[in-house]
Amino acid sequence: MQIAIDSKEFALLGDVFTQDVVANYGSGVGVLQGLSAVERGLQESLAPVTTQHALSTTVIDVYGSSANSTTYFTASHFGRGVYEGANLYAYGKYVDDLVHVSGGYDSSKDYAWRIQNRTLIYTGPLIGNESIFLGSG
């Protein structure tokens, strides 16, 4: 398994989200509908920065072939080019609705879980220099 976002391998997001996912990333990225929109939206928004996403506490409630989860995160964004040395940190949680689907990255299993709806909720203010998202300059 690989890390999709921090390695900028956005095509791997098909192992995370359903084809018809609706992902609300808030005011920065907005609401993205469909897997290709999520791949493109995250790729474009994170292009100017290097990232490290640390996931921590996760709570999952399973209801047969569906589930709800909440996962807390710290997202570190590091500027490049003229913004080298500048950082922006975000603290929040992902609130996800998941569905049980057939197929998956592990060929020894005939099922997998995918996120069908995602809502990003910030739990504190952004800390640092938001200008790093303007590009390398």
Side-chain angles (χ1 to χ4, degrees):
M1 177 153 38
Q2 296 183 16
I3 297 172
I5 293 175
D6 291 338
S7 65
K8 298 195 183 296
E9 297 286 338
F10 297 99
L12 295 173
L13 291 175
D15 287 337
V16 177
F17 297 106
T18 62
Q19 288 293 318
D20 63 345
V21 63
V22 176
N24 183 348
Y25 282 99
S27 61
V29 178
V31 177
L32 305 171
Q33 297 185 342
L35 177 59
S36 61
V38 170
E39 290 171 345
R40 188 173 50 256
L42 292 178
Q43 182 175 13
E44 290 172 2
S45 69
L46 297 174
V49 297
T50 301
T51 60
Q52 180 179 342
H53 291 79
L55 307 177
S56 61
T57 305
T58 299
V59 176
I60 303 170
D61 293 312
V62 178
Y63 308 100
S65 62
S66 66
N68 303 105
S69 70
T70 299
T71 302
Y72 284 81
F73 70 84
T74 301
S76 303
H77 307 88
F78 307 103
R80 299 191 314 216
V82 297
Y83 295 105
E84 184 79 29
N87 307 309
L88 182 69
Y89 302 98
Y91 301 88
K93 59 186 175 181
Y94 297 116
V95 178
D96 297 324
D97 296 324
L98 300 98
V99 293
H100 206 230
V101 298
S102 62
Y105 62 85
D106 184 345
S107 60
S108 69
K109 299 180 181 176
D110 61 354
Y111 64 89
W113 289 95
R114 299 282 186 273
I115 298 169
Q116 191 167 47
N117 293 290
R118 164 163 281 180
T119 302
L120 179 152
I121 300 169
Y122 291 110
T123 57
L126 298 176
I127 300 171
N129 185 348
E130 292 184 51
S131 296
I132 65 174
F133 283 92
L134 297 176
S136 305

